[in-house]
Amino acid sequence: MTHFRTSTFLRIAKKRLAMISPEPDELGIITPDEKHGHVIIHFDIDCFYAQVEIVRNPTLVDKPVGVQQRTLVVTSNYIARERGIYKCMPVIDALNACPELVLINGEDVAPYREYAEKITSLLREYSDRVEKLGFDENFVDVTEYVSQNSDSLTAKEIQGRIFQEKNYEDIQKCECGCDQLLIKGATLAKTIRERIYKEIGLTTCAGVSWNKLVSKLLSPMHKPNNQTIMFPSQLDSLMYFISDLKKIPGIGRSTLDKLSSIGVTTIAELQLCNLTDLDRIFDRATALRLLKLSYGIDDSSVKFFEKNKSIGVEDSIKPITAFSQCKEKLKIVLKRVSKLLIEDGRVPTSLKVSIRYKNNSGDTVRDSRQTAITSALFRGNVANICLPEVEENILKKSLELTKKMTQPLKHIFITLFGISFGKLIEKKVLGNSFFFPKNFERVVGESSCSQTSRISDEDPSDVYLDETVLSELPLDLKNEVLSSYRSPKSVKCQNEFETQDCPNNWDPEVYKSLPVDIREELALTSKRPAGETLVQKQQKRQKSILEFLYFCLG
Ligand code: DCP
Ligand code: MG
Ligand code: MG
């Protein structure tokens, strides 16, 4: 295989793609005005777990450090790599190769998750399009940021390395002028990497280009702690250089097997395929995508940042054989998950408990149960999960769920507990009307949950007040906000009625299946003392909420 000139390559690529379909434009063929003009950076943290351990214990900085999970060294710092340690090396081999290797147990991944989240939130300062790939990688589409900060990103020289160490002067310039945008993107990538190092303590690698595939292929080229940029006219050389189909993200084991069944084992061979060849083993959409990838064409966008749908922790434990031992174990798991929940800041409205246990046939199996929890439990601030009464409430529910799973067992033999919180509610300050209750704070997020407290635009009493936000206000503003609450017309309470609200004469399962408003009505009616009207009952609730607010404000 010889090196094509870029123009030759593009001509061949277009011709080939044109042969694939009578409407080549629909295939997203690279045309300067269509596909270029984006700036996408791929970041990958250097020896991630090992760096986190070194940041947590700086005395390790000049030692060979490996992170151990079970019998493997899953990663190591670059000092250890120079001494022959590679990823997923058996511990025994690693210690033979490098007896002075410092091994750290990395089975608790919580610290790594914490650092990964710090990085993602720093990246989000530059774009809403931040897409995580695995634990230590992110794509960021910085096109808008680069365009809006064009002047401040003007650089005298290109930051980092250029693919194949080319001189920029020798590179064929793209007709659309995207090269300049990419150069500014490289300046931004350098700034971001410096910030990650200064603020979080981790070095990273980055790839800068106009699409996700190319950026991902570029970022490991100058490891560690460096970045690589490439220009569209170098695309053919890149795909030739990569050569190995396995290096293309999205081409996994089963795709490789199918391709090899028709004799395709390299990128160059895939480029030579036509659609008819690929149609035999793939559907049309997959066949087209594979062909495009082989030419370095990737028109998938960087997805908008999405927070985790749930937050949970699982712990393997020494087997427990009595239900009475469950609470203590659940408490340990709950403490860990509480920390993550507080860092996240969203309020959960569902609780799930998972266990791994031996069933009556002696097989080890997993099971989980979940229940709704009221967001009111946290009184507007998820940090309240640490209050003893809140913790106790959650533990009680967790034990009830565990009981449901273990009741059919002849003997209890549990080897894992997990607690996970879901249906997380975001709280967001809206617009400029910060001090007006109806816009003060609004619960957003997974509002599909009909049991979440809802807010009406009309009724100020219907607003969800966050004590932490209130407590930060100057006194006069606090009073102004509170004055709007002096005589609310009505307060819609947290209307998440659960089984414990179930009237005595109702079957809890039947009660649970009723619509929320009917459950609310039933619960209120059944609980109020004789002679008390529904309105009086609601007024009582309203009063206690107000008392709580006044209490919070001192
Ligand atoms: N990891 C793991 N098991 C694997 C591969 C990786 O537990 N089979 C973990 C350890 C790594 C982290 O994921 O630190 C990120 O994986 P990378 O492949 O990015 O490897 P590193 O970040 O460790 O090294 P590099 O500097 O090569 O990116
Ligand atoms: Mg990495
Ligand atoms: Mg990685």
Side-chain angles (χ1 to χ4, degrees), residues 5-6 13 36 40 51 56 125 128 143 175 187 198 211 215 220 228 262 268 279 288 396 477 485 489 495 530 538 548:
R5 279 177 52 83
T6 304
H36 299 178
I40 293 173
Q51 270 209 93
R56 295 170 76 201
E125 291 179 30
D128 286 336
T143 314
E175 295 159 30
T187 309
K198 219 167 123 201
N211 81 33
S215 296
T228 311
I262 56 164
D279 275 348
L288 272 175
K396 191 170 151 240
L477 293 175
Y485 286 82
K489 284 175 277 171
N495 52 6
Q538 280 176 332
F548 168 69

PDB file of all heavy atoms in Angstrom, residues 5-6 13 36 40 51 56 125 128 143 175 187 198 211 215 220 228 262 268 279 288 396 477 485 489 495 530 538 548:
ATOM      1  N   ARG A   5      -1.883  10.772  -2.169  1.00  0.00           N
ATOM      2  CA  ARG A   5      -1.965  12.211  -1.931  1.00  0.00           C
ATOM      3  C   ARG A   5      -3.391  12.483  -1.461  1.00  0.00           C
ATOM      4  O   ARG A   5      -4.320  11.791  -1.855  1.00  0.00           O
ATOM      5  CB  ARG A   5      -1.697  12.983  -3.235  1.00  0.00           C
ATOM      6  CG  ARG A   5      -0.217  13.130  -3.553  1.00  0.00           C
ATOM      7  CD  ARG A   5      -0.074  13.841  -4.876  1.00  0.00           C
ATOM      8  NE  ARG A   5      -0.855  15.102  -4.881  1.00  0.00           N
ATOM      9  CZ  ARG A   5      -0.405  16.228  -4.380  1.00  0.00           C
ATOM     10  NH1 ARG A   5       0.793  16.294  -3.848  1.00  0.00           N
ATOM     11  NH2 ARG A   5      -1.152  17.314  -4.417  1.00  0.00           N
ATOM     12  N   THR A   6      -3.559  13.496  -0.650  1.00  0.00           N
ATOM     13  CA  THR A   6      -4.882  13.745  -0.076  1.00  0.00           C
ATOM     14  C   THR A   6      -5.959  13.928  -1.129  1.00  0.00           C
ATOM     15  O   THR A   6      -7.043  13.356  -1.045  1.00  0.00           O
ATOM     16  CB  THR A   6      -4.811  15.008   0.788  1.00  0.00           C
ATOM     17  OG1 THR A   6      -3.799  14.799   1.719  1.00  0.00           O
ATOM     18  CG2 THR A   6      -6.132  15.262   1.474  1.00  0.00           C
ATOM     19  N   ALA A  13     -12.325   8.345  -2.399  1.00  0.00           N
ATOM     20  CA  ALA A  13     -13.361   8.141  -1.373  1.00  0.00           C
ATOM     21  C   ALA A  13     -14.713   8.573  -1.900  1.00  0.00           C
ATOM     22  O   ALA A  13     -15.713   7.862  -1.767  1.00  0.00           O
ATOM     23  CB  ALA A  13     -13.009   8.920  -0.121  1.00  0.00           C
ATOM     24  N   HIS A  36     -16.689  19.955   7.853  1.00  0.00           N
ATOM     25  CA  HIS A  36     -15.654  20.614   8.643  1.00  0.00           C
ATOM     26  C   HIS A  36     -16.264  21.775   9.409  1.00  0.00           C
ATOM     27  O   HIS A  36     -17.440  22.041   9.314  1.00  0.00           O
ATOM     28  CB  HIS A  36     -14.528  21.112   7.724  1.00  0.00           C
ATOM     29  CG  HIS A  36     -13.874  19.999   6.991  1.00  0.00           C
ATOM     30  ND1 HIS A  36     -12.873  20.192   6.093  1.00  0.00           N
ATOM     31  CD2 HIS A  36     -14.104  18.679   7.025  1.00  0.00           C
ATOM     32  CE1 HIS A  36     -12.500  19.031   5.605  1.00  0.00           C
ATOM     33  NE2 HIS A  36     -13.252  18.099   6.153  1.00  0.00           N
ATOM     34  N   ILE A  40     -13.610  19.288  17.838  1.00  0.00           N
ATOM     35  CA  ILE A  40     -13.934  18.268  18.842  1.00  0.00           C
ATOM     36  C   ILE A  40     -12.632  17.805  19.503  1.00  0.00           C
ATOM     37  O   ILE A  40     -11.669  17.438  18.814  1.00  0.00           O
ATOM     38  CB  ILE A  40     -14.693  17.096  18.189  1.00  0.00           C
ATOM     39  CG1 ILE A  40     -16.064  17.616  17.732  1.00  0.00           C
ATOM     40  CG2 ILE A  40     -14.851  15.935  19.181  1.00  0.00           C
ATOM     41  CD1 ILE A  40     -16.874  16.655  16.927  1.00  0.00           C
ATOM     42  N   GLN A  51      -2.683   7.671  38.843  1.00  0.00           N
ATOM     43  CA  GLN A  51      -2.519   9.099  39.140  1.00  0.00           C
ATOM     44  C   GLN A  51      -3.387   9.531  40.315  1.00  0.00           C
ATOM     45  O   GLN A  51      -2.963  10.315  41.153  1.00  0.00           O
ATOM     46  CB  GLN A  51      -2.915   9.931  37.926  1.00  0.00           C
ATOM     47  CG  GLN A  51      -1.786  10.224  36.973  1.00  0.00           C
ATOM     48  CD  GLN A  51      -2.027  11.548  36.245  1.00  0.00           C
ATOM     49  OE1 GLN A  51      -1.580  12.593  36.675  1.00  0.00           O
ATOM     50  NE2 GLN A  51      -2.747  11.478  35.134  1.00  0.00           N
ATOM     51  N   ARG A  56      -3.656  11.346  45.896  1.00  0.00           N
ATOM     52  CA  ARG A  56      -4.138  11.135  47.263  1.00  0.00           C
ATOM     53  C   ARG A  56      -2.971  10.877  48.229  1.00  0.00           C
ATOM     54  O   ARG A  56      -3.091  11.073  49.413  1.00  0.00           O
ATOM     55  CB  ARG A  56      -5.109   9.941  47.303  1.00  0.00           C
ATOM     56  CG  ARG A  56      -6.372  10.222  46.501  1.00  0.00           C
ATOM     57  CD  ARG A  56      -7.187   8.968  46.348  1.00  0.00           C
ATOM     58  NE  ARG A  56      -7.892   8.636  47.562  1.00  0.00           N
ATOM     59  CZ  ARG A  56      -8.348   7.428  47.863  1.00  0.00           C
ATOM     60  NH1 ARG A  56      -8.141   6.426  47.053  1.00  0.00           N
ATOM     61  NH2 ARG A  56      -9.000   7.215  48.972  1.00  0.00           N
ATOM     62  N   GLU A 125     -17.665  23.551  31.649  1.00  0.00           N
ATOM     63  CA  GLU A 125     -17.567  25.015  31.620  1.00  0.00           C
ATOM     64  C   GLU A 125     -17.357  25.500  30.189  1.00  0.00           C
ATOM     65  O   GLU A 125     -17.548  26.665  29.886  1.00  0.00           O
ATOM     66  CB  GLU A 125     -16.393  25.489  32.485  1.00  0.00           C
ATOM     67  CG  GLU A 125     -16.612  25.274  33.960  1.00  0.00           C
ATOM     68  CD  GLU A 125     -15.406  25.736  34.769  1.00  0.00           C
ATOM     69  OE1 GLU A 125     -14.707  26.666  34.338  1.00  0.00           O
ATOM     70  OE2 GLU A 125     -15.170  25.142  35.837  1.00  0.00           O
ATOM     71  N   ASP A 128     -21.855  22.417  26.514  1.00  0.00           N
ATOM     72  CA  ASP A 128     -22.889  21.497  27.003  1.00  0.00           C
ATOM     73  C   ASP A 128     -22.720  20.127  26.361  1.00  0.00           C
ATOM     74  O   ASP A 128     -23.292  19.146  26.800  1.00  0.00           O
ATOM     75  CB  ASP A 128     -24.288  22.014  26.630  1.00  0.00           C
ATOM     76  CG  ASP A 128     -24.669  23.181  27.501  1.00  0.00           C
ATOM     77  OD1 ASP A 128     -24.116  23.283  28.606  1.00  0.00           O
ATOM     78  OD2 ASP A 128     -25.488  23.999  27.060  1.00  0.00           O
ATOM     79  N   THR A 143     -16.780  23.803  19.468  1.00  0.00           N
ATOM     80  CA  THR A 143     -16.931  24.666  18.296  1.00  0.00           C
ATOM     81  C   THR A 143     -17.442  26.059  18.678  1.00  0.00           C
ATOM     82  O   THR A 143     -16.872  27.080  18.272  1.00  0.00           O
ATOM     83  CB  THR A 143     -17.933  24.026  17.297  1.00  0.00           C
ATOM     84  OG1 THR A 143     -17.589  22.651  17.160  1.00  0.00           O
ATOM     85  CG2 THR A 143     -17.865  24.706  15.950  1.00  0.00           C
ATOM     86  N   GLU A 175      -9.888  23.961   2.006  1.00  0.00           N
ATOM     87  CA  GLU A 175     -10.547  25.075   1.298  1.00  0.00           C
ATOM     88  C   GLU A 175     -11.473  25.869   2.219  1.00  0.00           C
ATOM     89  O   GLU A 175     -11.658  27.060   2.057  1.00  0.00           O
ATOM     90  CB  GLU A 175     -11.409  24.541   0.149  1.00  0.00           C
ATOM     91  CG  GLU A 175     -10.636  23.880  -0.956  1.00  0.00           C
ATOM     92  CD  GLU A 175     -11.527  22.954  -1.768  1.00  0.00           C
ATOM     93  OE1 GLU A 175     -12.742  23.225  -1.866  1.00  0.00           O
ATOM     94  OE2 GLU A 175     -11.004  21.946  -2.276  1.00  0.00           O
ATOM     95  N   THR A 187      -5.174  25.404  21.051  1.00  0.00           N
ATOM     96  CA  THR A 187      -4.819  26.341  22.130  1.00  0.00           C
ATOM     97  C   THR A 187      -5.750  26.115  23.318  1.00  0.00           C
ATOM     98  O   THR A 187      -5.319  26.064  24.470  1.00  0.00           O
ATOM     99  CB  THR A 187      -4.974  27.809  21.643  1.00  0.00           C
ATOM    100  OG1 THR A 187      -4.261  27.930  20.428  1.00  0.00           O
ATOM    101  CG2 THR A 187      -4.463  28.798  22.660  1.00  0.00           C
ATOM    102  N   LYS A 198      -3.654  21.836  37.186  1.00  0.00           N
ATOM    103  CA  LYS A 198      -3.528  22.787  38.298  1.00  0.00           C
ATOM    104  C   LYS A 198      -4.629  22.581  39.346  1.00  0.00           C
ATOM    105  O   LYS A 198      -4.391  22.598  40.537  1.00  0.00           O
ATOM    106  CB  LYS A 198      -3.634  24.207  37.726  1.00  0.00           C
ATOM    107  CG  LYS A 198      -2.678  25.171  38.381  1.00  0.00           C
ATOM    108  CD  LYS A 198      -2.567  26.450  37.602  1.00  0.00           C
ATOM    109  CE  LYS A 198      -2.929  27.589  38.532  1.00  0.00           C
ATOM    110  NZ  LYS A 198      -3.339  28.788  37.875  1.00  0.00           N
ATOM    111  N   ASN A 211     -13.738  15.661  13.988  1.00  0.00           N
ATOM    112  CA  ASN A 211     -14.731  14.632  14.307  1.00  0.00           C
ATOM    113  C   ASN A 211     -14.269  13.717  15.447  1.00  0.00           C
ATOM    114  O   ASN A 211     -13.086  13.696  15.806  1.00  0.00           O
ATOM    115  CB  ASN A 211     -15.204  13.871  13.056  1.00  0.00           C
ATOM    116  CG  ASN A 211     -14.266  12.775  12.587  1.00  0.00           C
ATOM    117  OD1 ASN A 211     -13.604  12.119  13.378  1.00  0.00           O
ATOM    118  ND2 ASN A 211     -14.206  12.572  11.266  1.00  0.00           N
ATOM    119  N   SER A 215     -10.352  12.471  16.542  1.00  0.00           N
ATOM    120  CA  SER A 215      -9.801  12.984  17.810  1.00  0.00           C
ATOM    121  C   SER A 215      -9.426  11.836  18.745  1.00  0.00           C
ATOM    122  O   SER A 215      -8.395  11.861  19.401  1.00  0.00           O
ATOM    123  CB  SER A 215     -10.806  13.907  18.496  1.00  0.00           C
ATOM    124  OG  SER A 215     -11.023  15.035  17.695  1.00  0.00           O
ATOM    125  N   PRO A 220      -4.028   9.280  21.965  1.00  0.00           N
ATOM    126  CA  PRO A 220      -2.948   8.525  22.629  1.00  0.00           C
ATOM    127  C   PRO A 220      -1.598   8.611  21.908  1.00  0.00           C
ATOM    128  O   PRO A 220      -0.654   7.922  22.274  1.00  0.00           O
ATOM    129  CB  PRO A 220      -3.479   7.087  22.597  1.00  0.00           C
ATOM    130  CG  PRO A 220      -4.413   7.025  21.443  1.00  0.00           C
ATOM    131  CD  PRO A 220      -4.885   8.420  21.153  1.00  0.00           C
ATOM    132  N   THR A 228      -2.327  16.067  20.424  1.00  0.00           N
ATOM    133  CA  THR A 228      -2.008  15.935  19.002  1.00  0.00           C
ATOM    134  C   THR A 228      -3.152  16.519  18.183  1.00  0.00           C
ATOM    135  O   THR A 228      -4.321  16.268  18.482  1.00  0.00           O
ATOM    136  CB  THR A 228      -1.815  14.430  18.645  1.00  0.00           C
ATOM    137  OG1 THR A 228      -0.937  13.855  19.604  1.00  0.00           O
ATOM    138  CG2 THR A 228      -1.242  14.256  17.259  1.00  0.00           C
ATOM    139  N   ILE A 262     -15.386 -12.533   5.738  1.00  0.00           N
ATOM    140  CA  ILE A 262     -15.318 -12.234   4.297  1.00  0.00           C
ATOM    141  C   ILE A 262     -13.905 -11.762   3.908  1.00  0.00           C
ATOM    142  O   ILE A 262     -13.687 -11.082   2.911  1.00  0.00           O
ATOM    143  CB  ILE A 262     -16.387 -11.198   3.859  1.00  0.00           C
ATOM    144  CG1 ILE A 262     -16.274  -9.893   4.669  1.00  0.00           C
ATOM    145  CG2 ILE A 262     -17.793 -11.767   3.936  1.00  0.00           C
ATOM    146  CD1 ILE A 262     -17.016  -8.718   4.030  1.00  0.00           C
ATOM    147  N   ALA A 268      -7.481  -0.930   5.386  1.00  0.00           N
ATOM    148  CA  ALA A 268      -7.316  -0.814   3.928  1.00  0.00           C
ATOM    149  C   ALA A 268      -8.232  -1.818   3.213  1.00  0.00           C
ATOM    150  O   ALA A 268      -8.855  -1.486   2.191  1.00  0.00           O
ATOM    151  CB  ALA A 268      -5.866  -1.052   3.543  1.00  0.00           C
ATOM    152  N   ASP A 279     -23.285  -6.068   2.641  1.00  0.00           N
ATOM    153  CA  ASP A 279     -24.718  -6.377   2.816  1.00  0.00           C
ATOM    154  C   ASP A 279     -24.943  -7.839   3.184  1.00  0.00           C
ATOM    155  O   ASP A 279     -25.940  -8.193   3.791  1.00  0.00           O
ATOM    156  CB  ASP A 279     -25.484  -6.077   1.519  1.00  0.00           C
ATOM    157  CG  ASP A 279     -25.889  -4.610   1.457  1.00  0.00           C
ATOM    158  OD1 ASP A 279     -25.764  -3.935   2.498  1.00  0.00           O
ATOM    159  OD2 ASP A 279     -26.299  -4.152   0.379  1.00  0.00           O
ATOM    160  N   LEU A 288     -22.893   0.949   5.845  1.00  0.00           N
ATOM    161  CA  LEU A 288     -22.497   2.309   5.476  1.00  0.00           C
ATOM    162  C   LEU A 288     -21.608   2.944   6.526  1.00  0.00           C
ATOM    163  O   LEU A 288     -20.606   3.577   6.219  1.00  0.00           O
ATOM    164  CB  LEU A 288     -23.750   3.179   5.298  1.00  0.00           C
ATOM    165  CG  LEU A 288     -24.357   3.152   3.905  1.00  0.00           C
ATOM    166  CD1 LEU A 288     -25.657   3.938   3.878  1.00  0.00           C
ATOM    167  CD2 LEU A 288     -23.378   3.747   2.896  1.00  0.00           C
ATOM    168  N   LYS A 396     -34.610   1.749  57.382  1.00  0.00           N
ATOM    169  CA  LYS A 396     -35.821   0.968  57.658  1.00  0.00           C
ATOM    170  C   LYS A 396     -36.412   0.462  56.332  1.00  0.00           C
ATOM    171  O   LYS A 396     -36.739  -0.715  56.180  1.00  0.00           O
ATOM    172  CB  LYS A 396     -36.827   1.863  58.392  1.00  0.00           C
ATOM    173  CG  LYS A 396     -37.990   1.123  58.970  1.00  0.00           C
ATOM    174  CD  LYS A 396     -38.813   2.026  59.887  1.00  0.00           C
ATOM    175  CE  LYS A 396     -40.249   1.576  59.876  1.00  0.00           C
ATOM    176  NZ  LYS A 396     -41.195   2.548  59.430  1.00  0.00           N
ATOM    177  N   LEU A 477     -33.776  40.312  52.228  1.00  0.00           N
ATOM    178  CA  LEU A 477     -34.318  39.517  51.127  1.00  0.00           C
ATOM    179  C   LEU A 477     -35.025  38.267  51.637  1.00  0.00           C
ATOM    180  O   LEU A 477     -36.040  37.842  51.111  1.00  0.00           O
ATOM    181  CB  LEU A 477     -33.206  39.147  50.146  1.00  0.00           C
ATOM    182  CG  LEU A 477     -32.641  40.354  49.402  1.00  0.00           C
ATOM    183  CD1 LEU A 477     -31.462  39.947  48.544  1.00  0.00           C
ATOM    184  CD2 LEU A 477     -33.713  40.974  48.510  1.00  0.00           C
ATOM    185  N   TYR A 485     -44.960  34.141  51.808  1.00  0.00           N
ATOM    186  CA  TYR A 485     -45.452  32.867  52.317  1.00  0.00           C
ATOM    187  C   TYR A 485     -46.326  33.024  53.554  1.00  0.00           C
ATOM    188  O   TYR A 485     -46.763  32.069  54.133  1.00  0.00           O
ATOM    189  CB  TYR A 485     -44.263  31.951  52.662  1.00  0.00           C
ATOM    190  CG  TYR A 485     -43.635  31.431  51.424  1.00  0.00           C
ATOM    191  CD1 TYR A 485     -42.717  32.198  50.727  1.00  0.00           C
ATOM    192  CD2 TYR A 485     -44.018  30.201  50.896  1.00  0.00           C
ATOM    193  CE1 TYR A 485     -42.168  31.748  49.556  1.00  0.00           C
ATOM    194  CE2 TYR A 485     -43.470  29.743  49.719  1.00  0.00           C
ATOM    195  CZ  TYR A 485     -42.535  30.523  49.048  1.00  0.00           C
ATOM    196  OH  TYR A 485     -42.000  30.075  47.899  1.00  0.00           O
ATOM    197  N   LYS A 489     -52.507  30.544  50.000  1.00  0.00           N
ATOM    198  CA  LYS A 489     -53.884  30.085  49.815  1.00  0.00           C
ATOM    199  C   LYS A 489     -53.989  28.601  50.136  1.00  0.00           C
ATOM    200  O   LYS A 489     -54.889  28.146  50.778  1.00  0.00           O
ATOM    201  CB  LYS A 489     -54.321  30.335  48.365  1.00  0.00           C
ATOM    202  CG  LYS A 489     -54.646  31.790  48.102  1.00  0.00           C
ATOM    203  CD  LYS A 489     -54.957  31.988  46.640  1.00  0.00           C
ATOM    204  CE  LYS A 489     -53.666  32.138  45.882  1.00  0.00           C
ATOM    205  NZ  LYS A 489     -53.714  32.137  44.484  1.00  0.00           N
ATOM    206  N   ASN A 495     -46.807  14.963  47.696  1.00  0.00           N
ATOM    207  CA  ASN A 495     -47.937  14.045  47.619  1.00  0.00           C
ATOM    208  C   ASN A 495     -47.536  12.617  47.292  1.00  0.00           C
ATOM    209  O   ASN A 495     -48.178  11.922  46.550  1.00  0.00           O
ATOM    210  CB  ASN A 495     -48.962  14.552  46.605  1.00  0.00           C
ATOM    211  CG  ASN A 495     -48.306  14.841  45.291  1.00  0.00           C
ATOM    212  OD1 ASN A 495     -47.134  14.548  45.128  1.00  0.00           O
ATOM    213  ND2 ASN A 495     -49.042  15.417  44.368  1.00  0.00           N
ATOM    214  N   ALA A 530     -61.785  12.446  64.052  1.00  0.00           N
ATOM    215  CA  ALA A 530     -63.203  12.615  63.784  1.00  0.00           C
ATOM    216  C   ALA A 530     -63.561  14.093  63.828  1.00  0.00           C
ATOM    217  O   ALA A 530     -63.097  14.843  64.693  1.00  0.00           O
ATOM    218  CB  ALA A 530     -64.008  11.859  64.847  1.00  0.00           C
ATOM    219  N   GLN A 538     -55.351  19.696  55.716  1.00  0.00           N
ATOM    220  CA  GLN A 538     -54.350  20.295  54.820  1.00  0.00           C
ATOM    221  C   GLN A 538     -53.732  21.531  55.455  1.00  0.00           C
ATOM    222  O   GLN A 538     -52.541  21.769  55.333  1.00  0.00           O
ATOM    223  CB  GLN A 538     -54.989  20.663  53.479  1.00  0.00           C
ATOM    224  CG  GLN A 538     -55.120  19.436  52.582  1.00  0.00           C
ATOM    225  CD  GLN A 538     -55.828  19.727  51.292  1.00  0.00           C
ATOM    226  OE1 GLN A 538     -56.652  20.636  51.227  1.00  0.00           O
ATOM    227  NE2 GLN A 538     -55.532  18.964  50.275  1.00  0.00           N
ATOM    228  N   PHE A 548     -41.479  24.865  59.699  1.00  0.00           N
ATOM    229  CA  PHE A 548     -40.168  24.344  59.331  1.00  0.00           C
ATOM    230  C   PHE A 548     -39.323  25.441  58.663  1.00  0.00           C
ATOM    231  O   PHE A 548     -38.151  25.639  58.970  1.00  0.00           O
ATOM    232  CB  PHE A 548     -40.331  23.142  58.384  1.00  0.00           C
ATOM    233  CG  PHE A 548     -39.046  22.723  57.738  1.00  0.00           C
ATOM    234  CD1 PHE A 548     -38.051  22.149  58.508  1.00  0.00           C
ATOM    235  CD2 PHE A 548     -38.825  22.925  56.388  1.00  0.00           C
ATOM    236  CE1 PHE A 548     -36.850  21.775  57.933  1.00  0.00           C
ATOM    237  CE2 PHE A 548     -37.633  22.562  55.823  1.00  0.00           C
ATOM    238  CZ  PHE A 548     -36.641  21.979  56.594  1.00  0.00           C
TER     239      PHE A 548
END
